């Protein structure tokens, strides 16, 4: 395989990811379809004290193995709520992370170097004109109900995204160039394109089971969280969910790479970061992400706890509302009209001291922001030239506001066209202490310019954001090894079709020059030429001034080493654990022995799910899960 993640895709099966700690890529065999179906339906019922059986390559039970092992549950504290468990609709990092555990993509990213590796597809090959791509779907993949995964599932997933506007909400940018998707056979998927597309080995689209989703009805209303277990093909199966509380997943015994070592994975919501850290210390959870510098330092010397500090795949930006609009030309929202002037936007960014944000807020656990793609992705990272860079210069910021006609009144306040003092509204995430701290600095810097700033820290920022009812907002996205998706959210095609309709836009940017560059990079197969185009796109985005990257926060997280013996970071050298471009961390995690030797030793409470042979319940006590959710929204991915 070409080692470059954006070079020519392979024409033969690629090797599995390398060097996963303490794991073998195909550690266990896959049961037969009939046995698998019975297995999973019983395995996903709560069982008291049952340990999983093991299975050989024929699907037969290997007696005597794992019988005395305690239940092992890995609890992960998260600060973000789920926006949707429907992968066609979800955009938040927690939601997309859960979907990577539930559903395989056609390809995955190698945890070592992010090159494309097989997922549901074992091989992929383009035609000579790059307009037809043929994928070989693996024969040993099964849905968790025992049904074989086939090319028809992938064809249905992509075709639905092409024909149903709602199904294209989250990942529609991947299929806008598709002409037709067919499945000539169970292991053969054919995608025909309108023009060449360089992202065909990096289609970050969860493939869903056709036999389930074809009966779902209106995809805009299908929440995918009413009936458990939820059928999937990934390393874990969704077995429980309560909004703003938890997401429960159970190891999938028929996952083609082998079932995870942890029997259960639970993402538990904590609105307060200090409460999450306290839970880690007590052993109530085994992993915490999004640590503040003070929390990281306090945990560094704690026995039984390991702190991981790695370059992040996210950026933190200050975004403006340039005037919310839809593709049909209608405007909506109530963004301040002054922000449509590029001089005003530049003035606001010129007043910001990025070095102070890195030093005082992140205390060194971040890198000063510049281009749109974080420096972790060195091929695509861009830095402005000296004459192009927006400096920290309050005097210049004041002059720009004067030039734009927004001068100070007798009280020293700048007024708008209506004669009223300008006070901007800044959307802030209530669960993010960094947002609040930066907000206080912005209030001081803007006050020196004669501008007011109201920092609105909300549990739900998505509703006012999508309605265009804000002036400024803290913005952040996780960037994939292939940056096509985060580039696409600033194209005109990402705008909602009509006001209130679903759309993938980030902050209503629509710039024809940017769109032209986007189309060129997408069709460019030469890695160096494509990277050059991506850098030009970032330069254009920087110059338009609709948003400005403040920092690239590190991934600062901690886990209990008396619960987790080993776990894969991505990249494997100095990488993150939470929010990876794949499922490697939680699939590879191995329990420490003896498990739970630290605080509150012994297996965690609330453990579920014993794996049973066909029709045989290993230990008593079964109950049905019927959890209902209420629709809530939080910060964006």
């Amino acid at each position: 395989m070409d080692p470059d993640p954006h070079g020519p895709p392979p024409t033969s099966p690629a090797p599995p990811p390398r060097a996963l700690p303490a794991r073998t890529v195909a550690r266990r065999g896959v049961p037969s379809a009939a046995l698998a179906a019975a297995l999973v339906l019983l395995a996903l019922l709560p069982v008291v004290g049952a340990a999983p059986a093991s299975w050989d390559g024929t699907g037969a039970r290997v007696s005597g193995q794992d019988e005395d092992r305690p239940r092992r549950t890995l609890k992960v504290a998260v600060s973000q709520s789920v926006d949707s468990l429907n992968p066609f609709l979800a955009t938040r990092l927690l939601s997309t992370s859960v979907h990577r555990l539930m559903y395989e993509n056609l390809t995955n990213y190698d945890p070592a170097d992010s090159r494309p590796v097989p997922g549901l597809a074992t091989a992929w090959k383009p035609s000579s004109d790059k307009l037809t791509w043929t994928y070989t779907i693996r024969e040993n993949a099964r849905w968790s109900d025992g049904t074989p995964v086939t090319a028809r599932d992938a064809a249905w997933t992509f075709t639905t995204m092409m024909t149903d506007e709602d199904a294209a909400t989250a990942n529609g940018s991947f299929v806008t160039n598709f002409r037709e998707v067919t499945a000539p056979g169970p292991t053969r998927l054919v995608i025909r394109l309108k023009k060449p597309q360089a992202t065909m080995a990096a289609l970050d689209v969860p493939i869903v089971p056709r036999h389930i989703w074809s009966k779902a009805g209106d995809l805009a209303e299908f929440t995918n969280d009413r009936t458990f277990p939820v059928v999937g093909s990934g390393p874990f199966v969704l077995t429980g969910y309560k909004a703003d509380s938890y997401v429960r997943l159970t190891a999938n015994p028929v996952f083609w790479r082998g079932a995870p070592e942890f029997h259960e994975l639970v993402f538990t919501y904590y609105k307060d970061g200090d409460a999450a850290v306290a839970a880690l210390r007590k052993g109530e959870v085994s992993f915490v992400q999004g640590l503040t510098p003070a929390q990281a330092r306090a945990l560094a010397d704690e026995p039984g706890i390991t702190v991981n500090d790695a370059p992040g795949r996210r950026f933190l930006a200050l975004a403006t509302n340039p005037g919310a609009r839809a593709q049909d030309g209608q405007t909506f929202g109530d963004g301040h009209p002054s922000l449509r002037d590029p001089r005003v936007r530049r003035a606001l960014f010129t007043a910001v001291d990025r070095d102070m944000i890195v030093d005082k807020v992140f205390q060194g656990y971040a890198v000063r922001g510049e281009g749109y793609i974080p420096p972790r992705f060195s091929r695509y990272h861009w830095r402005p030239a000296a004459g192009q860079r927006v400096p920290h210069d309050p005097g210049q910021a004041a002059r720009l506001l004067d030039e734009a006609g927004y001068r100070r009144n007798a009280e020293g306040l700048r007024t708008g066209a209506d004669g009223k003092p300008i006070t901007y509204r800044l959307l802030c995430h209530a669960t993010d202490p960094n947002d609040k701290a930066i907000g206080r600095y912005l209030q001081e810097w803007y006050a020196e310019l004669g501008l007011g700033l109201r920092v609105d820290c909300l549990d739900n920022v998505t509703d006012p954001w999508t309605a265009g009812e804000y002036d400024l907002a803290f913005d952040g996205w996780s960037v994939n090894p292939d940056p096509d998706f985060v580039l696409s959210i600033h194209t005109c095609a990402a705008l909602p079709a009509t006001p209130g309709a679903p759309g993938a836009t980030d902050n209503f940017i629509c710039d024809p020059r940017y769109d032209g560059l986007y189309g060129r990079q997408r069709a460019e197969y030469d890695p160096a030429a494509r990277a050059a185009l991506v850098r030009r796109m970032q330069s254009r985005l920087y110059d338009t001034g609709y948003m400005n990257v403040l920092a690239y926060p590190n991934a600062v997280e901690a886990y209990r080493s008396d619960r987790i013996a080993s776990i894969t970071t991505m990249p494997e050298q100095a990488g993150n654990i939470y929010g990876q471009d794949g499922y490697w961390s939680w699939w590879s995690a191995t329990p420490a022995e003896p498990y739970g030797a630290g605080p509150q030793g012994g297996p965690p409470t609330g453990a579920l799910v014993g794996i049973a042979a066909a029709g045989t319940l290993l230990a008593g006590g079964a109950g049905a899960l019927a959890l209902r959710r209420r629709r809530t929204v939080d910060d964006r991915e």
Side-chain angles (χ1 to χ4, degrees):
M1 172 181 287
D2 190 321
D4 188 284
H6 306 288
T11 58
S12 60
R18 303 179 300 276
L20 295 179
R23 290 298 305 273
T24 302
V25 169
R27 195 184 73 258
R28 297 180 185 174
V30 179
S32 63
L35 181 57
L39 248 180
V40 177
L41 291 175
L42 288 174
L44 298 176
L45 294 174
V47 177
V48 179
S54 295
W55 306 86
D56 66 16
T58 67
R61 183 171 175 218
V62 180
S63 60
Q65 294 188 16
D66 293 341
E67 289 295 322
D68 298 323
R69 289 172 56 189
R71 301 298 309 144
R72 292 180 173 91
T73 296
L74 176 53
K75 292 187 176 181
V76 176
V78 295
S79 59
Q80 186 184 58
S81 60
V82 168
D83 57 341
S84 177
L85 288 170
N86 179 337
F88 292 111
L89 306 178
T91 60
R92 291 187 211 150
L93 180 60
L94 174 59
S95 306
T96 56
S97 296
V98 169
H99 290 140
R100 287 187 175 106
L101 298 169
M102 295 171 59
Y103 304 105
E104 273 270 38
N105 297 349
L106 289 180
T107 62
N108 213 319
Y109 295 109
D110 190 304
D113 56 16
S114 295
R115 65 194 177 97
V117 294
L120 288 181
T122 60
W124 45 97
K125 181 180 180 180
S127 59
S128 58
D129 61 4
K130 303 292 194 299
L131 293 179
T132 301
W133 284 74
T134 302
Y135 299 80
T136 302
I137 304 301
R138 68 176 57 255
E139 297 181 355
N140 63 332
R142 299 187 182 279
W143 298 107
S144 55
D145 63 1
T147 305
V149 179
T150 73
R152 294 181 69 193
D153 296 300
W156 187 90
T157 299
F158 290 124
T159 300
T160 300
M161 294 170 62
M162 294 164 61
T163 56
D164 186 324
E165 183 178 279
D166 294 323
T169 299
N171 298 307
S173 63
F174 290 110
V175 302
T176 54
N177 185 43
F178 287 12
R179 185 180 300 279
E180 181 185 39
V181 183
T182 58
T187 63
R188 187 166 175 247
L189 176 73
V190 178
I191 300 178
R192 293 181 174 85
L193 306 174
K194 300 172 186 176
K195 55 187 176 181
Q197 181 170 323
T199 63
M200 297 303 289
L203 299 174
D204 297 314
V205 175
I207 304 302
V208 301
R210 176 180 177 273
H211 65 287
I212 301 294
W213 284 78
S214 61
K215 305 171 186 175
D218 186 352
L219 291 183
E221 301 298 327
F222 185 62
T223 58
N224 199 31
D225 62 5
R226 299 294 176 86
T227 303
F228 301 108
V230 175
V231 176
S233 60
F236 288 91
V237 176
L238 180 66
T239 53
Y241 169 68
K242 184 177 181 180
D244 299 326
S245 182
Y246 66 85
V247 179
R248 177 181 290 118
L249 301 115
T250 300
N252 181 3
V254 298
F255 181 50
W256 69 271
R257 289 189 190 272
E261 291 281 355
F262 277 94
H263 308 136
E264 187 177 63
L265 174 64
V266 180
F267 293 102
T268 304
Y269 176 71
Y270 285 84
K271 184 176 180 179
D272 182 76
D274 289 332
V277 169
L280 181 74
R281 284 193 168 108
K282 296 175 184 177
E284 295 171 354
V285 298
S286 297
F287 183 94
V288 173
Q289 50 83 34
L291 297 176
T292 66
Q295 291 168 342
R297 287 193 297 270
L299 291 173
D301 297 323
E302 288 267 355
I305 292 178
T306 297
V307 174
N308 183 49
D309 173 23
R313 57 181 280 241
R314 294 179 66 81
F315 63 80
L316 172 65
L318 182 62
T320 66
N321 179 353
R325 52 180 162 168
Q327 292 185 33
D328 64 2
Q330 295 187 62
T331 59
F332 57 97
D334 59 3
H336 200 284
S338 64
L339 295 174
R340 298 170 192 171
D341 190 324
R343 294 170 295 184
V344 173
R345 299 196 298 267
R346 188 175 181 90
L348 296 179
F349 297 146
T350 302
V352 175
D353 188 340
R354 291 163 188 75
D355 290 328
M356 183 175 287
I357 289 174
V358 171
D359 293 341
K360 301 298 184 182
V361 176
F362 291 100
Q363 299 178 31
Y365 288 89
V367 177
R368 186 182 190 274
E370 291 180 311
Y372 187 62
I373 307 297
R376 167 169 160 174
F377 304 103
S378 57
R379 176 184 296 278
Y380 299 110
H381 181 59
W382 169 86
R383 301 179 65 182
Q388 184 183 16
R389 181 175 291 111
V390 176
H392 169 55
D393 188 337
Q396 182 180 343
R399 289 190 294 273
L400 285 167
L401 290 172
D402 288 341
E403 292 174 11
Y406 297 99
R407 298 182 177 274
R408 297 177 186 265
N409 62 14
E411 289 76 34
L413 304 177
R414 296 187 187 270
T415 58
D418 57 3
K420 297 179 180 179
I422 297 174
T423 297
Y424 295 121
R425 300 159 298 166
L426 172 65
L427 281 179
C428 160
H429 302 89
T431 58
D432 193 330
N434 295 325
D435 277 13
K436 298 173 185 176
I438 298 172
R440 288 192 289 271
Y441 278 110
L442 290 174
Q443 285 177 318
E444 295 176 11
W445 294 330
Y446 291 169
E448 293 175 1
L449 296 177
L451 298 170
L453 182 68
R454 190 182 80 208
V455 182
D456 295 330
C457 292
L458 308 175
D459 290 332
N460 166 18
V461 302
T462 302
D463 283 355
W465 193 316
T466 55
E469 297 171 352
Y470 70 97
D471 300 315
L472 305 171
F474 288 117
D475 192 9
W477 287 83
S478 294
V479 178
N480 296 329
D482 188 299
D484 183 79
F485 175 77
V486 292
L487 296 172
S488 74
I489 61 178
H490 297 303
T491 61
C492 300
L495 294 174
T498 58
T505 188
D506 187 28
N507 58 317
F508 307 103
I509 296 174
C510 179
D511 175 53
R513 284 180 58 186
Y514 179 90
D515 276 22
L517 291 168
Y518 175 76
R520 289 175 60 189
Q521 69 82 27
R522 197 176 210 198
E524 180 57 68
Y525 277 79
D526 178 81
R530 183 176 182 223
L533 288 167
V534 170
R535 289 192 291 270
R536 287 180 61 187
M537 292 178 67
Q538 295 176 77
S539 177
R540 177 62 181 171
L541 193 61
Y542 189 88
D543 288 343
T544 57
Y546 294 118
M547 61 179 298
N548 198 265
V549 176
L550 304 177
Y552 310 108
N554 289 7
V556 188
E557 48 203 7
Y559 64 91
R560 295 206 62 93
S561 51
D562 56 8
R563 296 285 178 89
I564 304 173
S566 66
I567 193 166
T568 298
T569 61
M570 185 177 185
E572 288 179 341
Q573 299 298 319
N576 58 293
I577 295 172
Y578 179 81
Q580 293 182 358
D581 304 293
Y583 43 64
W584 308 117
S585 55
W586 311 124
W587 173 74
S588 72
T590 58
E593 299 293 352
Y595 185 69
Q600 299 187 6
T605 59
L608 292 180
V609 191
I611 299 178
T616 303
L617 193 60
L618 291 181
L625 293 174
L627 300 176
R628 300 189 57 154
R629 75 187 292 273
R630 57 185 176 86
R631 188 172 182 83
T632 60
V633 281
D634 196 352
D635 55 303
R636 298 146 77 95
E637 182 181 359

